[in-house]
Amino acid sequence: MSLTPEENVKSSVDEMYRQYLNIETIEELYRQAVMMSQALGWELSERRHLLPDREGNNVDPLIYPPCYFQELSVGGNLVYQFDYEETLPLYMKNKPYEDKIRAYYQGAMIEALEGRSLRKFDQAFIYVCHFFSNLQIRDLDNRNRRHLINAIRSAQIIEDDRWEFIEIMDSGYLDPQKRNRIELFITSRENAMNLVEYVRRKAGICTEN
């Protein structure tokens, strides 16, 4: 029976432990894999115009996971939604690694907003929703959401990321399509509870007592 990619990774890491590989070495391998993935994505995206047309349609291939944007109205208030594929990378104290991740999230958001003019929230509520493919134990505080906040600030959707200007909330959800992804929402502070209830209903979670 063939294994899924996630099962293959788990099997490989288990084998590493059996071979007495320490956690620091595994963390370094993870860091290198993330950095290589980001570097390959950006390098290929710079060269995609050199690729031949596919069936004459001149379709630009999606080299690295894009960010998808949509504008919503929840509770009669404006909401911005950004969707990223896969989970947020783990936090590590390594500058080149963090620089690569920051460049990806900021660049992908800027591309998603190309040609758009967005309102700036003076008092913003930022809701980071982590959708997971399974019920495996995961700690949300190990995920580096700082790069999402910096991307929002770079896009000038918030006044600043100091505590006076923003409130932040994280939630985890089981994705019915078994996909790992991030849904990032920005709205006004007074609309916070409406937004949370909206997301919970959309995720199939009853909010009534």
Side-chain angles (χ1 to χ4, degrees), residues 90-179:
L90 296 174
Y91 173 75
M92 290 187 179
K93 292 183 178 180
N94 181 281
K95 189 176 187 304
Y97 167 86
E98 294 293 329
D99 287 346
K100 286 286 185 184
I101 296 173
R102 181 179 66 252
Y104 162 65
Y105 282 102
Q106 291 185 1
M109 181 175 286
I110 289 171
E111 286 190 8
L113 295 176
E114 186 175 0
R116 299 177 183 270
S117 179
L118 270 61
R119 164 189 161 183
K120 178 185 289 186
F121 291 100
D122 296 327
Q123 298 288 318
F125 174 68
I126 300 171
Y127 191 25
V128 183
C129 299
H130 307 255
F131 286 84
F132 297 113
S133 62
N134 55 46
L135 293 175
Q136 176 183 335
I137 296 175
R138 298 176 175 90
D139 294 334
L140 296 184
D141 58 353
N142 289 339
R143 305 288 167 178
N144 202 342
R145 72 180 184 190
R146 176 176 54 138
H147 298 302
L148 294 175
I149 309 305
N150 287 337
I152 297 171
R153 185 183 62 185
S154 296
Q156 298 184 340
I157 300 173
I158 57 176
E159 183 67 30
D160 195 79
D161 59 2
R162 301 199 309 270
W163 66 267
E164 303 102 303
F165 300 102
I166 63 173
E167 291 183 6
I168 306 172
M169 178 176 172
D170 287 84
S171 291
Y173 296 99
L174 179 64
D175 185 71
Q177 298 179 357
K178 297 185 177 180
R179 292 167 47 224

Side-chain angles (χ1 to χ4, degrees), residues 69-80 118-121 186-188 191 195:
F69 169 79
Q70 60 179 323
E71 188 174 309
L72 308 173
S73 177
V74 176
N77 294 278
L78 178 66
V79 175
Y80 294 142
L118 270 61
R119 164 189 161 183
K120 178 185 289 186
F121 291 100
I186 306 102
T187 190
S188 58
N191 197 38
L195 175 58

